[in-house]
Amino acid sequence: MNHENYMNIALELAEKGMGFVNPNPMVGAVIVRNGKIIGRGWHRKYGELHAERNAFANCTEDCSGADMYVTLEPCCHHGKTPPCTDIIIEKNIRRVFIGSSDPNPKVAGKGVQILREHGIEVVEGVLKEQCDRLNEIFFHYITTGKPFITMKYAMTMDGKIACRTGLSKWITEEPARQYVQYERLKHSAIMVGVGTVIADNPMLNCRLENGRNPVRIVCDTNLRMPLECNIVKTASEIPTIIATCSGDTEKISQYEKSGCRVMSVEKSENHIDLNDLMNKIGAEKIDSILLEGGGELNYSALKAGIINKIQAYVAPKIFGGKNAQTSVAGLGVESPEDAFRIERTAIKCIGDDFLIEGWVK
């Protein structure tokens, strides 16, 4: 096998940490000696051993003089675990092949420098694009302090997210809906507007076996969320944040008794200031949000400039109806030149449906 093959194995290992390492990055590591893999590891859970140390712990023989393939530059600082550079040096690794450089100011090239100073050959940028894409959430959060936000919605081929009656279940088929569950696992939180809660009474949980529920965030400017809705009734089981501009202490007390956390947010244009909310959410070490709001919240989020990525699930169906809901509502732009631009688009078939992904320019 060549360097890319070994790094691909490290990438596959890294993905096993999805949803459990946030706000840390997903990292995989492979130790190779004489063309044979003798150690594998990945970062399994936030606060536990990093991928490199897990790979050494699982090593089947002496790794002196071996090569190591790691998807992200090894850390060189003390955090919840000791520096990975220390053990790489201690185990007498000969060469280290790295996918992504670590933008964390505590690392940012220092890990590579330390390894080289100890006579270890370092090769950077192996499958860099794939390794960077794996940790786009971490890279954004560690450099901005704000959560990476993916705006997700399902629509028909004529752009409707519900029929004229308001019914929306189900637009896409089961394979696409199952794919969304992995996105809920990947992101630390899921966010909707109170209108979605009132209309659909969702649970907003992760329905994967052995999965992890995201933190639920409801944007509720004036505290209209029904106390009997599924989200409030399960707030003692699943962390739930209500973002509001209301100072109604009686209502706040009722939500808090149910287990909700009420977060006070600044107001902008008679609605929640989404930038203020993102600053507060980022300070909570919530590194990513899957936005599953309706058209109004989607437009507000785009207008506020907080969206990083778009995921549009498109079903081969037509609803019609000039008043049927669309994925992005609000006032809209005045001319085509004012459009929100999407770049690096890609299309994936999921069963009979399509997923169109792109990053907001």
Side-chain angles (χ1 to χ4, degrees), residues 3-27:
H3 301 317
E4 287 75 17
N5 294 140
Y6 292 124
M7 190 61 78
N8 263 320
I9 293 171
L11 278 165
E12 290 173 4
L13 291 169
E15 286 186 348
K16 292 184 177 184
M18 182 189 295
F20 299 97
V21 300
N22 309 57
N24 278 357
M26 291 178 277
V27 184

PDB file of all heavy atoms in Angstrom, residues 3-27:
ATOM      1  N   HIS A   3       1.230   5.715   0.658  1.00  0.00           N
ATOM      2  CA  HIS A   3       0.922   6.646   1.759  1.00  0.00           C
ATOM      3  C   HIS A   3      -0.561   7.011   1.800  1.00  0.00           C
ATOM      4  O   HIS A   3      -1.159   7.103   2.882  1.00  0.00           O
ATOM      5  CB  HIS A   3       1.766   7.914   1.607  1.00  0.00           C
ATOM      6  CG  HIS A   3       3.247   7.656   1.604  1.00  0.00           C
ATOM      7  ND1 HIS A   3       3.844   6.782   2.480  1.00  0.00           N
ATOM      8  CD2 HIS A   3       4.247   8.166   0.825  1.00  0.00           C
ATOM      9  CE1 HIS A   3       5.153   6.763   2.258  1.00  0.00           C
ATOM     10  NE2 HIS A   3       5.419   7.588   1.252  1.00  0.00           N
ATOM     11  N   GLU A   4      -1.172   7.218   0.616  1.00  0.00           N
ATOM     12  CA  GLU A   4      -2.579   7.590   0.569  1.00  0.00           C
ATOM     13  C   GLU A   4      -3.473   6.474   1.115  1.00  0.00           C
ATOM     14  O   GLU A   4      -4.478   6.738   1.784  1.00  0.00           O
ATOM     15  CB  GLU A   4      -2.988   7.950  -0.863  1.00  0.00           C
ATOM     16  CG  GLU A   4      -2.465   9.297  -1.372  1.00  0.00           C
ATOM     17  CD  GLU A   4      -0.974   9.257  -1.721  1.00  0.00           C
ATOM     18  OE1 GLU A   4      -0.430   8.129  -1.878  1.00  0.00           O
ATOM     19  OE2 GLU A   4      -0.358  10.338  -1.822  1.00  0.00           O
ATOM     20  N   ASN A   5      -3.113   5.221   0.830  1.00  0.00           N
ATOM     21  CA  ASN A   5      -3.905   4.093   1.340  1.00  0.00           C
ATOM     22  C   ASN A   5      -3.911   4.060   2.859  1.00  0.00           C
ATOM     23  O   ASN A   5      -4.964   3.870   3.498  1.00  0.00           O
ATOM     24  CB  ASN A   5      -3.345   2.774   0.808  1.00  0.00           C
ATOM     25  CG  ASN A   5      -3.481   2.618  -0.690  1.00  0.00           C
ATOM     26  OD1 ASN A   5      -2.575   2.123  -1.353  1.00  0.00           O
ATOM     27  ND2 ASN A   5      -4.613   3.031  -1.237  1.00  0.00           N
ATOM     28  N   TYR A   6      -2.741   4.245   3.449  1.00  0.00           N
ATOM     29  CA  TYR A   6      -2.661   4.243   4.912  1.00  0.00           C
ATOM     30  C   TYR A   6      -3.417   5.423   5.520  1.00  0.00           C
ATOM     31  O   TYR A   6      -4.082   5.282   6.553  1.00  0.00           O
ATOM     32  CB  TYR A   6      -1.198   4.275   5.368  1.00  0.00           C
ATOM     33  CG  TYR A   6      -0.425   3.008   5.059  1.00  0.00           C
ATOM     34  CD1 TYR A   6       0.754   3.048   4.320  1.00  0.00           C
ATOM     35  CD2 TYR A   6      -0.877   1.772   5.517  1.00  0.00           C
ATOM     36  CE1 TYR A   6       1.470   1.877   4.035  1.00  0.00           C
ATOM     37  CE2 TYR A   6      -0.172   0.601   5.243  1.00  0.00           C
ATOM     38  CZ  TYR A   6       0.998   0.663   4.493  1.00  0.00           C
ATOM     39  OH  TYR A   6       1.694  -0.496   4.229  1.00  0.00           O
ATOM     40  N   MET A   7      -3.324   6.575   4.856  1.00  0.00           N
ATOM     41  CA  MET A   7      -4.047   7.740   5.376  1.00  0.00           C
ATOM     42  C   MET A   7      -5.556   7.538   5.255  1.00  0.00           C
ATOM     43  O   MET A   7      -6.322   7.988   6.121  1.00  0.00           O
ATOM     44  CB  MET A   7      -3.606   9.011   4.666  1.00  0.00           C
ATOM     45  CG  MET A   7      -4.135  10.302   5.300  1.00  0.00           C
ATOM     46  SD  MET A   7      -3.568  10.541   7.018  1.00  0.00           S
ATOM     47  CE  MET A   7      -1.877  11.126   6.711  1.00  0.00           C
ATOM     48  N   ASN A   8      -5.994   6.866   4.200  1.00  0.00           N
ATOM     49  CA  ASN A   8      -7.420   6.575   4.065  1.00  0.00           C
ATOM     50  C   ASN A   8      -7.915   5.701   5.213  1.00  0.00           C
ATOM     51  O   ASN A   8      -9.026   5.884   5.718  1.00  0.00           O
ATOM     52  CB  ASN A   8      -7.697   5.877   2.722  1.00  0.00           C
ATOM     53  CG  ASN A   8      -8.163   6.852   1.646  1.00  0.00           C
ATOM     54  OD1 ASN A   8      -8.942   7.763   1.935  1.00  0.00           O
ATOM     55  ND2 ASN A   8      -7.699   6.660   0.429  1.00  0.00           N
ATOM     56  N   ILE A   9      -7.092   4.761   5.633  1.00  0.00           N
ATOM     57  CA  ILE A   9      -7.458   3.923   6.779  1.00  0.00           C
ATOM     58  C   ILE A   9      -7.556   4.783   8.038  1.00  0.00           C
ATOM     59  O   ILE A   9      -8.482   4.623   8.847  1.00  0.00           O
ATOM     60  CB  ILE A   9      -6.428   2.790   6.959  1.00  0.00           C
ATOM     61  CG1 ILE A   9      -6.498   1.820   5.771  1.00  0.00           C
ATOM     62  CG2 ILE A   9      -6.666   2.044   8.277  1.00  0.00           C
ATOM     63  CD1 ILE A   9      -5.393   0.788   5.739  1.00  0.00           C
ATOM     64  N   ALA A  10      -6.613   5.707   8.183  1.00  0.00           N
ATOM     65  CA  ALA A  10      -6.656   6.620   9.338  1.00  0.00           C
ATOM     66  C   ALA A  10      -7.921   7.478   9.309  1.00  0.00           C
ATOM     67  O   ALA A  10      -8.528   7.740  10.356  1.00  0.00           O
ATOM     68  CB  ALA A  10      -5.413   7.500   9.352  1.00  0.00           C
ATOM     69  N   LEU A  11      -8.335   7.910   8.124  1.00  0.00           N
ATOM     70  CA  LEU A  11      -9.559   8.697   7.988  1.00  0.00           C
ATOM     71  C   LEU A  11     -10.781   7.886   8.401  1.00  0.00           C
ATOM     72  O   LEU A  11     -11.684   8.390   9.089  1.00  0.00           O
ATOM     73  CB  LEU A  11      -9.715   9.184   6.538  1.00  0.00           C
ATOM     74  CG  LEU A  11      -8.934  10.435   6.151  1.00  0.00           C
ATOM     75  CD1 LEU A  11      -8.891  10.584   4.636  1.00  0.00           C
ATOM     76  CD2 LEU A  11      -9.546  11.679   6.779  1.00  0.00           C
ATOM     77  N   GLU A  12     -10.833   6.629   7.983  1.00  0.00           N
ATOM     78  CA  GLU A  12     -11.954   5.768   8.353  1.00  0.00           C
ATOM     79  C   GLU A  12     -12.015   5.582   9.869  1.00  0.00           C
ATOM     80  O   GLU A  12     -13.098   5.560  10.460  1.00  0.00           O
ATOM     81  CB  GLU A  12     -11.814   4.413   7.653  1.00  0.00           C
ATOM     82  CG  GLU A  12     -12.043   4.481   6.152  1.00  0.00           C
ATOM     83  CD  GLU A  12     -11.728   3.159   5.464  1.00  0.00           C
ATOM     84  OE1 GLU A  12     -11.403   2.168   6.175  1.00  0.00           O
ATOM     85  OE2 GLU A  12     -11.794   3.110   4.226  1.00  0.00           O
ATOM     86  N   LEU A  13     -10.852   5.452  10.491  1.00  0.00           N
ATOM     87  CA  LEU A  13     -10.809   5.334  11.943  1.00  0.00           C
ATOM     88  C   LEU A  13     -11.295   6.618  12.605  1.00  0.00           C
ATOM     89  O   LEU A  13     -12.072   6.582  13.570  1.00  0.00           O
ATOM     90  CB  LEU A  13      -9.379   5.019  12.396  1.00  0.00           C
ATOM     91  CG  LEU A  13      -8.831   3.639  12.042  1.00  0.00           C
ATOM     92  CD1 LEU A  13      -7.321   3.584  12.307  1.00  0.00           C
ATOM     93  CD2 LEU A  13      -9.546   2.551  12.842  1.00  0.00           C
ATOM     94  N   ALA A  14     -10.845   7.754  12.077  1.00  0.00           N
ATOM     95  CA  ALA A  14     -11.205   9.045  12.664  1.00  0.00           C
ATOM     96  C   ALA A  14     -12.718   9.248  12.708  1.00  0.00           C
ATOM     97  O   ALA A  14     -13.261   9.758  13.696  1.00  0.00           O
ATOM     98  CB  ALA A  14     -10.547  10.172  11.872  1.00  0.00           C
ATOM     99  N   GLU A  15     -13.412   8.816  11.657  1.00  0.00           N
ATOM    100  CA  GLU A  15     -14.859   9.022  11.570  1.00  0.00           C
ATOM    101  C   GLU A  15     -15.629   8.266  12.654  1.00  0.00           C
ATOM    102  O   GLU A  15     -16.773   8.590  12.950  1.00  0.00           O
ATOM    103  CB  GLU A  15     -15.359   8.608  10.183  1.00  0.00           C
ATOM    104  CG  GLU A  15     -14.977   9.602   9.096  1.00  0.00           C
ATOM    105  CD  GLU A  15     -15.595   9.253   7.763  1.00  0.00           C
ATOM    106  OE1 GLU A  15     -16.136   8.128   7.619  1.00  0.00           O
ATOM    107  OE2 GLU A  15     -15.530  10.095   6.850  1.00  0.00           O
ATOM    108  N   LYS A  16     -14.992   7.269  13.261  1.00  0.00           N
ATOM    109  CA  LYS A  16     -15.653   6.526  14.329  1.00  0.00           C
ATOM    110  C   LYS A  16     -15.891   7.396  15.561  1.00  0.00           C
ATOM    111  O   LYS A  16     -16.719   7.058  16.413  1.00  0.00           O
ATOM    112  CB  LYS A  16     -14.818   5.298  14.705  1.00  0.00           C
ATOM    113  CG  LYS A  16     -14.750   4.237  13.613  1.00  0.00           C
ATOM    114  CD  LYS A  16     -13.994   3.001  14.095  1.00  0.00           C
ATOM    115  CE  LYS A  16     -13.987   1.915  13.037  1.00  0.00           C
ATOM    116  NZ  LYS A  16     -13.348   0.665  13.522  1.00  0.00           N
ATOM    117  N   GLY A  17     -15.167   8.498  15.655  1.00  0.00           N
ATOM    118  CA  GLY A  17     -15.356   9.411  16.781  1.00  0.00           C
ATOM    119  C   GLY A  17     -16.441  10.440  16.556  1.00  0.00           C
ATOM    120  O   GLY A  17     -16.700  11.281  17.432  1.00  0.00           O
ATOM    121  N   MET A  18     -17.103  10.384  15.390  1.00  0.00           N
ATOM    122  CA  MET A  18     -18.122  11.389  15.059  1.00  0.00           C
ATOM    123  C   MET A  18     -19.201  11.510  16.124  1.00  0.00           C
ATOM    124  O   MET A  18     -19.818  10.523  16.515  1.00  0.00           O
ATOM    125  CB  MET A  18     -18.784  11.037  13.718  1.00  0.00           C
ATOM    126  CG  MET A  18     -19.836  12.043  13.261  1.00  0.00           C
ATOM    127  SD  MET A  18     -20.766  11.463  11.814  1.00  0.00           S
ATOM    128  CE  MET A  18     -19.478  11.398  10.580  1.00  0.00           C
ATOM    129  N   GLY A  19     -19.389  12.729  16.602  1.00  0.00           N
ATOM    130  CA  GLY A  19     -20.450  12.999  17.560  1.00  0.00           C
ATOM    131  C   GLY A  19     -20.052  12.823  19.011  1.00  0.00           C
ATOM    132  O   GLY A  19     -20.796  13.221  19.899  1.00  0.00           O
ATOM    133  N   PHE A  20     -18.868  12.251  19.258  1.00  0.00           N
ATOM    134  CA  PHE A  20     -18.481  11.967  20.632  1.00  0.00           C
ATOM    135  C   PHE A  20     -17.235  12.731  21.077  1.00  0.00           C
ATOM    136  O   PHE A  20     -16.881  12.681  22.255  1.00  0.00           O
ATOM    137  CB  PHE A  20     -18.248  10.462  20.816  1.00  0.00           C
ATOM    138  CG  PHE A  20     -19.479   9.640  20.542  1.00  0.00           C
ATOM    139  CD1 PHE A  20     -19.664   9.041  19.308  1.00  0.00           C
ATOM    140  CD2 PHE A  20     -20.471   9.507  21.500  1.00  0.00           C
ATOM    141  CE1 PHE A  20     -20.812   8.305  19.041  1.00  0.00           C
ATOM    142  CE2 PHE A  20     -21.619   8.767  21.247  1.00  0.00           C
ATOM    143  CZ  PHE A  20     -21.790   8.168  20.010  1.00  0.00           C
ATOM    144  N   VAL A  21     -16.573  13.413  20.149  1.00  0.00           N
ATOM    145  CA  VAL A  21     -15.326  14.106  20.509  1.00  0.00           C
ATOM    146  C   VAL A  21     -15.475  15.627  20.554  1.00  0.00           C
ATOM    147  O   VAL A  21     -14.588  16.326  21.033  1.00  0.00           O
ATOM    148  CB  VAL A  21     -14.179  13.735  19.531  1.00  0.00           C
ATOM    149  CG1 VAL A  21     -13.929  12.242  19.566  1.00  0.00           C
ATOM    150  CG2 VAL A  21     -14.486  14.204  18.110  1.00  0.00           C
ATOM    151  N   ASN A  22     -16.585  16.163  20.051  1.00  0.00           N
ATOM    152  CA  ASN A  22     -16.787  17.608  20.032  1.00  0.00           C
ATOM    153  C   ASN A  22     -16.584  18.214  21.417  1.00  0.00           C
ATOM    154  O   ASN A  22     -17.030  17.622  22.400  1.00  0.00           O
ATOM    155  CB  ASN A  22     -18.211  17.956  19.569  1.00  0.00           C
ATOM    156  CG  ASN A  22     -18.586  17.278  18.276  1.00  0.00           C
ATOM    157  OD1 ASN A  22     -18.537  16.069  18.178  1.00  0.00           O
ATOM    158  ND2 ASN A  22     -18.981  18.036  17.283  1.00  0.00           N
ATOM    159  N   PRO A  23     -15.938  19.390  21.545  1.00  0.00           N
ATOM    160  CA  PRO A  23     -15.456  20.248  20.457  1.00  0.00           C
ATOM    161  C   PRO A  23     -14.038  19.924  19.995  1.00  0.00           C
ATOM    162  O   PRO A  23     -13.397  20.758  19.358  1.00  0.00           O
ATOM    163  CB  PRO A  23     -15.514  21.640  21.094  1.00  0.00           C
ATOM    164  CG  PRO A  23     -15.207  21.379  22.544  1.00  0.00           C
ATOM    165  CD  PRO A  23     -15.828  20.047  22.857  1.00  0.00           C
ATOM    166  N   ASN A  24     -13.541  18.739  20.306  1.00  0.00           N
ATOM    167  CA  ASN A  24     -12.257  18.314  19.768  1.00  0.00           C
ATOM    168  C   ASN A  24     -12.419  17.822  18.336  1.00  0.00           C
ATOM    169  O   ASN A  24     -13.538  17.504  17.908  1.00  0.00           O
ATOM    170  CB  ASN A  24     -11.666  17.187  20.633  1.00  0.00           C
ATOM    171  CG  ASN A  24     -10.960  17.706  21.874  1.00  0.00           C
ATOM    172  OD1 ASN A  24     -10.857  18.911  22.084  1.00  0.00           O
ATOM    173  ND2 ASN A  24     -10.492  16.803  22.708  1.00  0.00           N
ATOM    174  N   PRO A  25     -11.330  17.695  17.604  1.00  0.00           N
ATOM    175  CA  PRO A  25     -11.418  17.180  16.229  1.00  0.00           C
ATOM    176  C   PRO A  25     -11.498  15.659  16.199  1.00  0.00           C
ATOM    177  O   PRO A  25     -11.116  14.974  17.165  1.00  0.00           O
ATOM    178  CB  PRO A  25     -10.098  17.658  15.605  1.00  0.00           C
ATOM    179  CG  PRO A  25      -9.143  17.709  16.758  1.00  0.00           C
ATOM    180  CD  PRO A  25      -9.966  18.156  17.938  1.00  0.00           C
ATOM    181  N   MET A  26     -11.991  15.127  15.083  1.00  0.00           N
ATOM    182  CA  MET A  26     -11.927  13.695  14.834  1.00  0.00           C
ATOM    183  C   MET A  26     -10.535  13.387  14.290  1.00  0.00           C
ATOM    184  O   MET A  26     -10.088  14.038  13.347  1.00  0.00           O
ATOM    185  CB  MET A  26     -12.989  13.281  13.813  1.00  0.00           C
ATOM    186  CG  MET A  26     -14.412  13.373  14.315  1.00  0.00           C
ATOM    187  SD  MET A  26     -15.619  12.933  13.043  1.00  0.00           S
ATOM    188  CE  MET A  26     -15.744  14.498  12.158  1.00  0.00           C
ATOM    189  N   VAL A  27      -9.866  12.403  14.877  1.00  0.00           N
ATOM    190  CA  VAL A  27      -8.500  12.069  14.459  1.00  0.00           C
ATOM    191  C   VAL A  27      -8.325  10.557  14.442  1.00  0.00           C
ATOM    192  O   VAL A  27      -8.800   9.859  15.338  1.00  0.00           O
ATOM    193  CB  VAL A  27      -7.442  12.694  15.400  1.00  0.00           C
ATOM    194  CG1 VAL A  27      -6.026  12.414  14.874  1.00  0.00           C
ATOM    195  CG2 VAL A  27      -7.660  14.202  15.543  1.00  0.00           C
TER     196      VAL A  27
END
